[in-house]
Amino acid sequence: MGYEFSDDALLTLALTHRSFCAENEDAESNERLEFLGDAVVGLAVTGFIHDAYPDLPEGQLAKLRASVVNTTTLADVAQHIGLGRDLRLGRGEEMSGGRTKESILADAFEAVIGAVYVDSDWDRANAVVLDCLGEQIAQGAQRPGRLDYKTR
């Protein structure tokens, strides 16, 4: 991701799925960081596309954002940067392929972004999001909404 945590405990927390917590009494899940990271990702992508594509109307901007900020895209990015191998999962989730489940990977990506934000600041978190999602934004801008089921 191009980011080194000053507080490694934040990264560990971001990679801790609730299934791990069910088996480890003192563990805390990544859900709160995921909540924060969801907002950071959304704002970073929205701000970037607003400025980068001044000729796109609001509806097309919304479709572009939706083509990037969704479970499938975030899971692909998470898989690409190797988050799946580092997840802390419970045995059941491990056995059922949790390291490759889209929802778990997307949530972990958002949690890691939330952790980057807490560990640093908005500017750094924004840069990490755009570094991770820049290619997907560029692809989505070629045909906003092509992945949107309502448009199809």
Side-chain angles (χ1 to χ4, degrees):
M1 289 183 71
Y3 180 81
E4 188 170 331
F5 282 86
S6 59
D7 182 357
D8 290 338
L10 279 171
L11 179 58
T12 300
L13 177 58
L15 296 170
T16 304
H17 186 259
R18 68 178 171 263
S19 64
F20 182 87
C21 300
E23 298 172 7
N24 296 274
E25 191 174 299
D26 295 330
E28 185 181 348
S29 82
N30 65 1
E31 290 172 333
R32 289 179 52 84
L33 283 175
E34 175 198 338
F35 172 77
L36 179 60
D38 176 63
V40 172
V41 170
L43 182 57
V45 170
T46 300
F48 177 79
I49 64 175
H50 174 269
D51 295 344
Y53 303 101
D55 295 333
L56 285 182
E58 182 272 337
Q60 293 298 318
L61 288 171
K63 289 176 182 181
L64 173 53
R65 179 181 57 209
S67 75
V68 176
V69 184
N70 63 65
T71 299
T72 300
T73 300
L74 298 182
D76 287 347
V77 170
Q79 190 76 349
H80 178 73
I81 62 176
L83 289 185
R85 74 171 179 262
D86 296 324
L87 289 171
R88 293 173 40 163
L89 301 172
R91 285 185 297 272
E93 202 58 68
E94 183 77 58
M95 299 298 287
S96 67
R99 292 186 187 284
T100 60
K101 287 184 181 175
E102 277 191 349
S103 62
I104 292 175
L105 287 167
D107 291 350
F109 178 78
E110 290 174 338
V112 168
I113 295 300
V116 169
Y117 176 76
V118 171
D119 194 56
S120 60
D121 58 22
W122 164 253
D123 291 332
R124 190 66 185 119
N126 185 55
V128 170
V129 169
L130 296 178
D131 285 347
C132 289
L133 295 174
E135 183 178 321
Q136 289 76 8
I137 293 169
Q139 289 173 356
Q142 293 175 6
R143 289 182 46 210
R146 78 177 193 278
L147 300 177
D148 175 35
Y149 77 93
K150 289 181 182 179
T151 302
R152 281 199 316 267

